[in-house]
Amino acid sequence: MNTILFSLVFLLLIYNTTHSFSKFHQVFEITQPLPSDFLPPSCTHTILRHCFSTASDGTTPPPFTTTYSPPSNCNSPWSFVSLEFHAKSKGRGDFRLYHIAALWLSGVELLRTTAPEPNHSGIFWKIRKDVSKYSSVLLKKNANLTMVLENGGVNSNGRTGSTYNVKIKLLFYSNNAVSSPLAPHLIIPFGEEAKNGRGFWWFKVESQVDLKVNQFVIPRNTRKAVMELCASFHGNDEFWYTNPPNSYITLNNLTGVGGNGAFREVFVTIDGELAGSEVPFPVIFNDGFNPLFWQRVVGIGSFSLPCYEFDITPFLGKVLDGKAHEFGVGVNDATSYWLVGANLLLWLDFGSRKVSAGIQPSFINPSLNIKRRESFKLLEGKFDIKAKRKNKYSGWVQSSLGNVTTIVSQDFKFRNSVKFGNNGNLKMVKQIVTSTKQVKVKMGNGGETTISNVIVRKKYPLDLSVLTLRKNKKKSSSTLLVLTNVTHGLTERLTNGESTSVLVNSQDSRGWLDVKRRHIGEAITKQGFSYRNEQRCYARSVVVDDREMVIDDSSFICPSVYAS
C-alpha cells in the first residue's frame, strides 16, 4: 500500500513540475526521490530570486549576495531540510560553453551545480538536495547568502551568453516522519573571499603543487570532525581522464591539450600530513564530447556535483591544543584548473569544556603506489596507468559520552588506458575505479563494544571512443565531424550495521556532431537507474533519441537481487 501511495505522489510531483512551464521543456538528472518528497513540509522559505546574465563584454557577472534569516513560522529543531533549486532560461545558447554555479551560506558551500545551455523554445530544471547537515548554518540570522554562476561569455556568433532566472527555497520538516542523522553543531568554511582573490568561496587550483591551506583553531570540546571537500574540474583538466602524458604533448608539439596523464586524486592534509584522499568521479558536463547527448538528460552528477567526506576524528589528538593548525586541500597531478572548496564539520561535547584525545599507533602508511607505461610513435600510441592507495587512521576521544575510538580505513584501485590511433584522430579510453571506505566507532577504554560500523563500496567505470574525421577530402571545404560513444556509471553499496542500500546508475550515449555547427548532429542517450534499501526502492529508465524523450519508465518495484 505504501509503495502505491509513494508512486502516486511522485507521479503527481512530476506532473506538476512538467506543467508549471508548459512552453519550456525540462532538463533533468536522474536521481532517487528524497524521503521528504512524499510529505508536506512544515514550512517553505524562499531564500533567493535572481536573474543571472553575462555582462556586455562577455565576462562572468559578479556573485549575487542577499541576506538570509531562518523562517519565523517553524522553529528548530528540524528533522529534515531540503533545498529546492529552480531555474529556467530561453534563448540561443552556445554548445561550446557550460556554466558552473555554487551556493554559499556564511561561506559554507550548500550546492555546486552546472547550468545547461538553453534553446529557442526554452528550458527549465529543478534540483532537490538534502541539506539537513547544514542546520547549524541555517539557524544563523542576517547571514550572507552568495551565489555565483560562471557562464560562458560571448559565443561564436557574437551574441552574449544566456540569462538564467533562478529561484531557491528551503523546505523545513519538523515532524519525525522523515529524519536525518545528527547534524554537526559547528561548520567552519575553508575558503575565504579575501584569500582567493575572486570574491568567491572556492579556490582555483592551477597545478599539482598548488596546495590551498587555511589555519583554524578547533574548539577543545570537539568529539568528532569531518572534512567535506567539493571539487570540480575545468579548462585543460575538464576531461582529465583522457589526458596523455607530457612527453606525448611535447614531442608532437601540441598546444591547448591537457597533460600530466590521466590520474587525479583529491586530498586533504592536516599540518602537512595526509588525512584522506579519493579519486574523483568523472562528471561529464553539458558541453562534454557531444552536447546533443545532454539536451534532455544531463550527465551523472552534473546537477548536484559530488562532494567527498573525510572523517578526520582520529586526528583530533593533534589539534585539540587550543592552537591554530594548518588544513590543506589539493589535487594530485592537476593541471589548470580545478575549483576546490571545503567545509569543516564539527560535533561538540556540550557536557564538558574540553575533551582529551589521542592517536593510536595503528596507522597504515598512506603512500601512493602508481605505475605508468607509455608507448607511442608520433601521434599514435597507448598509455596505461595503475594506481592504488591504502590507509588507516585510528584515534580515541574521552568526552562526557565516554571513551570512543574511531577507526577510519580506505583503499582504492585505479586503472586507466588511453589509446590514440588513426594519426591521432581516434581516442579510446577505458577506466575503472573501485574504492572501499570504512568508519568503525567503538566504545570503552579497550574498544570492547562496536557502536557504529559504516562501509561504503564504490565502483565507477568509463568507456569512451572519439573519432574525428572530415566529410570531404579537400581541407578547404571539409566538414569536421566527431563520432562519439561514451558509457559511464556509478555503483555504490552502503552498509550501516544491519542495513544496506544499493545504488546503480549507468549512461550509454552514442552519436555524431558537426564541430563547427554544434547544433547539427545525432545523439541517443540511454540511462538506467535503481536505488533500494530496506524501506523502499526506486527505478527509472529513459531513452532520449535526437533530443526527444522516447522512453521514460519509473517504478517503485525494484529487482529482488542486490547489485554486487
Side-chain angles (χ1 to χ4, degrees):
M1 185 64 183
N2 287 336
T3 300
I4 297 175
L5 178 61
F6 289 158
S7 301
L8 292 174
V9 172
F10 187 67
L11 289 173
L12 182 60
L13 287 171
I14 294 177
Y15 179 87
N16 289 337
T17 300
T18 305
H19 286 72
S20 59
F21 301 112
S22 58
K23 296 182 180 180
F24 292 68
H25 79 253
Q26 184 179 11
V27 182
F28 56 88
E29 178 183 352
I30 298 180
T31 60
Q32 73 268 27
L34 296 177
S36 59
D37 288 349
F38 307 108
L39 299 170
S42 302
C43 68
T44 301
H45 186 35
T46 299
I47 60 173
L48 185 145
R49 291 179 186 266
H50 188 66
C51 180
F52 291 90
S53 60
T54 303
S56 58
D57 60 356
T59 58
T60 295
F64 174 75
T65 299
T66 187
T67 301
Y68 166 87
S69 289
S72 57
N73 56 336
C74 57
N75 297 326
S76 64
W78 306 299
S79 59
F80 197 91
V81 185
S82 66
L83 181 147
E84 189 169 284
F85 178 102
H86 290 263
K88 62 177 180 178
S89 184
K90 185 177 181 180
R92 181 183 177 88
D94 187 343
F95 295 150
R96 293 171 176 82
L97 311 174
Y98 69 96
H99 311 269
I100 185 74
L103 180 72
W104 298 274
L105 180 58
S106 291
V108 174
E109 185 166 332
L110 303 182
L111 174 70
R112 186 173 301 199
T113 184
T114 60
E117 275 295 327
N119 53 33
H120 290 296
S121 59
I123 62 172
F124 74 96
W125 67 101
K126 182 177 75 170
I127 306 165
R128 277 192 175 179
K129 179 183 178 181
D130 177 6
V131 293
S132 305
K133 65 182 174 183
Y134 306 115
S135 292
S136 62
V137 183
L138 299 175
L139 284 169
K140 291 187 176 183
K141 296 181 179 180
N142 300 317
N144 283 339
L145 180 71
T146 302
M147 180 177 171
V148 62
L149 189 147
E150 290 196 12
N151 43 11
V154 179
N155 67 23
S156 57
N157 295 312
R159 300 179 177 88
T160 58
S162 306
T163 59
Y164 294 87
N165 292 288
V166 176
K167 176 183 176 182
I168 303 175
K169 58 185 179 180
L170 295 172
L171 283 65
F172 294 88
Y173 298 82
S174 299
N175 55 68
N176 293 325
V178 57
S179 61
S180 59
L182 177 65
H185 304 105
L186 177 65
I187 304 179
I188 303 175
F190 183 85
E192 289 186 6
E193 292 177 291
K195 281 192 175 182
N196 61 34
R198 306 178 72 228
F200 308 156
W201 287 89
W202 50 29
F203 289 97
K204 192 174 186 179
V205 173
E206 302 276 8
S207 70
Q208 57 186 337
V209 297
D210 193 5
L211 179 70
K212 302 302 182 183
V213 298
N214 209 338
Q215 291 192 341
F216 304 109
V217 177
I218 306 301
R220 303 191 73 176
N221 64 335
T222 300
R223 60 178 179 83
K224 178 182 175 181
V226 172
M227 179 74 87
E228 180 186 42
L229 187 149
C230 304
S232 54
F233 29 87
H234 313 279
N236 285 337
D237 246 12
E238 181 182 346
F239 307 106
W240 57 266
Y241 43 89
T242 72
N243 285 9
N246 295 334
S247 56
Y248 176 85
I249 297 172
T250 301
L251 291 177
N252 286 292
N253 197 27
L254 302 177
T255 59
V257 178
N260 279 10
F263 172 76
R264 298 295 182 270
E265 179 188 29
V266 297
F267 63 88
V268 299
T269 62
I270 299 176
D271 290 334
E273 181 180 359
L274 182 69
S277 69
E278 191 159 342
V279 176
F281 179 77
V283 178
I284 302 175
F285 302 135
N286 72 284
D287 71 329
F289 306 115
N290 183 340
L292 302 181
F293 290 156
W294 324 116
Q295 291 296 288
R296 297 298 301 272
V297 178
V298 298
I300 297 171
S302 65
F303 269 177
S304 185
L305 273 72
C307 294
Y308 307 95
E309 291 191 353
F310 303 100
D311 194 320
I312 57 174
T313 305
F315 289 85
L316 289 179
K318 291 189 173 185
V319 299
L320 294 183
D321 54 4
K323 300 178 182 179
H325 291 266
E326 184 179 88
F327 293 75
V329 296
V331 185
N332 279 332
D333 285 6
T335 65
S336 183
Y337 64 98
W338 290 61
L339 295 175
V340 178
N343 303 321
L344 182 55
L345 285 58
L346 304 176
W347 286 256
L348 307 179
D349 178 17
F350 293 105
S352 60
R353 294 181 60 184
K354 66 177 182 178
V355 304
S356 56
I359 293 177
Q360 293 185 330
S362 57
F363 270 44
I364 294 179
N365 181 18
S367 60
L368 176 66
N369 185 334
I370 185 166
K371 297 179 181 179
R372 305 173 190 265
R373 292 193 308 171
E374 61 180 64
S375 174
F376 68 95
K377 182 178 181 181
L378 298 178
L379 291 170
E380 298 187 356
K382 185 179 180 182
F383 314 97
D384 296 318
I385 300 177
K386 292 183 179 181
K388 61 182 180 180
R389 189 195 289 275
K390 184 176 183 180
N391 51 40
K392 183 178 181 180
Y393 310 110
S394 180
W396 58 268
V397 175
Q398 180 73 46
S399 69
S400 63
L401 300 178
N403 189 291
V404 177
T405 299
T406 301
I407 305 167
V408 178
S409 58
Q410 180 181 13
D411 67 86
F412 70 75
K413 295 180 180 179
F414 171 93
R415 288 185 299 168
N416 177 284
S417 176
V418 177
K419 184 178 180 180
F420 289 92
N422 193 24
N423 197 31
N425 290 313
L426 173 64
K427 178 187 285 190
M428 294 182 290
V429 178
K430 288 184 179 294
Q431 178 174 292
I432 185 165
V433 181
T434 58
S435 68
T436 300
K437 182 184 293 186
Q438 180 179 22
V439 179
K440 182 181 288 188
V441 181
K442 296 184 175 182
M443 179 73 76
N445 292 328
E448 299 88 356
T449 305
T450 299
I451 60 176
S452 175
N453 187 20
V454 179
I455 303 174
V456 180
R457 294 182 174 90
K458 294 182 181 180
K459 178 171 67 174
Y460 30 95
L462 181 143
D463 197 336
L464 168 71
S465 64
V466 181
L467 174 63
T468 303
L469 50 85
R470 296 183 182 277
K471 190 174 181 180
N472 301 316
K473 294 183 178 180
K474 294 183 179 180
K475 291 186 177 181
S476 58
S477 61
S478 66
T479 299
L480 205 61
L481 302 180
V482 174
L483 285 70
T484 304
N485 295 342
V486 58
T487 302
H488 67 137
L490 167 66
T491 300
E492 178 180 295
R493 185 184 185 97
L494 186 151
T495 303
N496 187 350
E498 299 297 324
S499 64
T500 299
S501 65
V502 179
L503 182 151
V504 180
N505 196 357
S506 63
Q507 283 183 324
D508 184 359
S509 301
R510 303 169 186 271
W512 64 270
L513 181 73
D514 185 320
V515 174
K516 291 184 178 181
R517 299 173 294 175
R518 292 171 69 89
H519 62 285
I520 295 179
E522 294 180 354
I524 181 170
T525 294
K526 301 176 181 180
Q527 183 168 0
F529 177 95
S530 68
Y531 173 84
R532 64 172 298 157
N533 58 25
E534 275 74 15
Q535 285 74 44
R536 65 172 62 97
C537 43
Y538 173 69
R540 190 172 181 182
S541 176
V542 301
V543 176
V544 179
D545 190 351
D546 197 20
R547 298 173 241 190
E548 294 293 330
M549 187 77 68
V550 295
I551 295 177
D552 186 0
D553 296 328
S554 60
S555 171
F556 284 84
I557 302 175
C558 297
S560 59
V561 179
Y562 281 117
S564 58

